[in-house]
Amino acid sequence: MEIQQLKYFVEVVRQQSFTKAAAQLFVTQPMITRSIKHLEEELNVRLLERTSKSFCLTDAGRILYERVQDFLLQYDDIFRTMTDVRSARVGEVRMSIPGVLLDVYFPTLLTCFHRHFPGIDISVVEEGSKLVASSVGSGRADLGLVMLPVDEPYRFESKTLISNVCSLVVSRHHPFAKMSSVHIRDLKDETILTYSETATLHDTFIRMCGECGFVPRISYKSLMTRFCLKMVGMQQCIAVLPLPILQPDLCEELVTVPLEPVIPWEIAIIRRREGYRSFAANQLFSYICDHFASLDHQGMNADLRATAISV
């Protein structure tokens, strides 16, 4: 049994597809198929129950998948530790982050980091907060930025970077535009845009609407801020989005209105509580925390709330 066989097997299960796993691993599908077949022969068990169009795990396959994930994390940790020993200022960090945060906060941050640590490469994957937590928890990413709360928080070490709120954004011609605040229950009959299901905000908003006794009519879901604001400006919908993300792209045709009750928007950086942490990942974690700590968040948040009614 070879490590590569186990990696192929795990990726097939993760992707739920031989074709997608092959593309992810940059190998051919027949190579993965042969590898898993050989693994089954060596173990003398069937791992996957195949049909014409799909497959499912057998009991043996499920047990192997659960055990092998931890084993591969430990295996990778060995090589990453040796890399750190050989060269303390050279390494690679895998970071998972929602695209809206990457766009607003990270161009300058990453540029400055590379000036201080030119030997550290950063691989960035854009995905919603829920997928970020999954990637960090499984070891596919070293660091991640998420909207709190996360599922199973005991698995992570986290540091809150931003504490703010979500806001309602409407066309200047919408009746809500003249109100000092809007209660969530008043959104019952509105056409609403918010983030997609991969974002924690999506679930938080739907839960809070449920607590007010209704299911929101969400007609648009997107992680692209400019698209969201253009749809609002065209009076196709209203939107519930993080206030700091809205501010840079607001125009005179749009108005932000505070929501009641408040929908918190807390952004944290997370990493696995257990397992090896490379020098490179530690450096980036500390650098990001220091960068956000250096911002005058108290003053910034006060300014944002003071201008929350209109621009």
Side-chain angles (χ1 to χ4, degrees):
M1 180 167 46
E2 299 178 358
I3 293 294
Q4 201 63 44
Q5 291 175 310
L6 298 176
K7 289 184 175 181
Y8 287 170
F9 170 70
V10 167
E11 194 62 33
V12 166
V13 178
R14 282 177 180 167
Q15 300 291 337
Q16 287 295 295
S17 165
F18 281 79
T19 302
K20 292 180 181 179
Q24 186 73 20
L25 295 167
F26 301 102
V27 297
T28 64
Q29 181 177 334
M31 181 180 295
I32 288 185
T33 302
R34 288 195 302 270
S35 177
I36 292 179
K37 183 179 180 181
H38 292 160
L39 181 60
E40 289 178 321
E41 291 173 351
E42 290 181 38
L43 297 175
N44 195 29
V45 293
R46 178 170 293 186
L47 301 173
L48 304 174
E49 187 66 32
R50 299 166 178 82
T51 65
S52 58
K53 295 184 179 180
S54 62
F55 68 85
C56 63
L57 286 171
T58 63
D59 290 343
R62 187 174 298 105
I63 292 173
L64 181 65
Y65 177 68
E66 292 172 355
R67 298 289 181 87
V68 164
Q69 289 185 90
D70 290 338
F71 170 75
L72 290 178
L73 286 175
Q74 294 176 13
Y75 179 83
D76 289 341
D77 281 349
I78 293 173
F79 287 92
R80 294 169 65 190
T81 303
M82 294 302 101
T83 299
D84 278 355
V85 171
R86 290 196 304 269
S87 179
R89 293 183 64 84
V90 176
E92 180 180 358
V93 185
R94 302 163 297 173
M95 185 167 67
S96 178
I97 179 173
V100 292
L101 296 176
L102 186 66
D103 183 50
V104 173
Y105 294 104
F106 277 79
T108 300
L109 188 154
L110 293 178
T111 299
C112 293
F113 180 82
H114 279 299
R115 289 175 185 162
H116 287 87
F117 302 96
I120 296 178
D121 295 324
I122 303 173
S123 174
V124 178
V125 174
E126 298 179 36
E127 50 191 359
S129 286
K130 291 190 287 185
L131 295 179
V132 170
S134 175
S135 294
V136 174
S138 67
R140 295 194 299 274
D142 301 299
L143 306 176
L145 266 77
V146 297
M147 175 182 170
L148 298 176
V150 294
D151 290 336
E152 301 178 322
Y154 58 85
R155 296 188 300 159
F156 306 107
E157 177 186 339
S158 67
K159 173 71 174 178
T160 300
L161 304 176
I162 305 170
S163 293
N164 212 287
V165 297
C166 295
S167 178
L168 189 66
V169 58
V170 301
S171 165
R172 187 170 292 278
H173 306 291
H174 194 284
F176 287 162
K178 298 179 180 180
M179 299 175 64
S180 60
S181 64
V182 173
H183 198 282
I184 288 179
R185 62 171 172 266
D186 296 328
L187 305 181
K188 181 178 180 180
D189 298 320
E190 297 289 333
T191 299
I192 301 170
L193 180 153
T194 193
Y195 286 159
S196 61
E197 290 91 341
T198 61
T200 301
L201 174 57
H202 174 275
D203 293 354
T204 300
F205 177 62
I206 289 180
R207 175 181 56 78
M208 293 182 72
C209 289
E211 291 172 354
C212 291
F214 73 101
V215 176
R217 186 170 65 189
I218 299 178
S219 295
Y220 303 99
K221 300 176 183 179
S222 175
L223 295 173
M224 301 179 65
T225 304
R226 292 182 182 178
F227 166 79
C228 297
L229 297 183
K230 285 183 179 179
M231 293 299 290
V232 174
M234 292 178 176
Q235 302 183 54
Q236 296 299 302
C237 58
I238 63 176
V240 176
L241 299 170
L243 187 55
I245 300 300
L246 294 172
Q247 290 289 340
D249 293 311
L250 282 174
C251 65
E252 62 181 11
E253 291 302 314
L254 300 175
V255 176
T256 59
V257 186
L259 279 169
E260 297 180 4
V262 167
I263 301 179
W265 192 64
E266 290 189 304
I267 300 301
I269 184 171
I270 62 171
R271 58 185 176 184
R272 280 188 298 152
R273 191 173 295 277
E274 298 180 354
Y276 172 72
R277 296 170 182 167
S278 69
F279 171 85
N282 284 336
Q283 285 292 343
L284 183 57
F285 183 92
S286 297
Y287 193 89
I288 290 173
C289 292
D290 291 344
H291 174 83
F292 279 90
S294 69
L295 302 177
D296 184 10
H297 282 304
Q298 291 184 346
M300 181 175 68
N301 290 347
D303 291 341
L304 287 171
R305 291 190 178 97
T307 59
I309 294 179
S310 68
V311 173

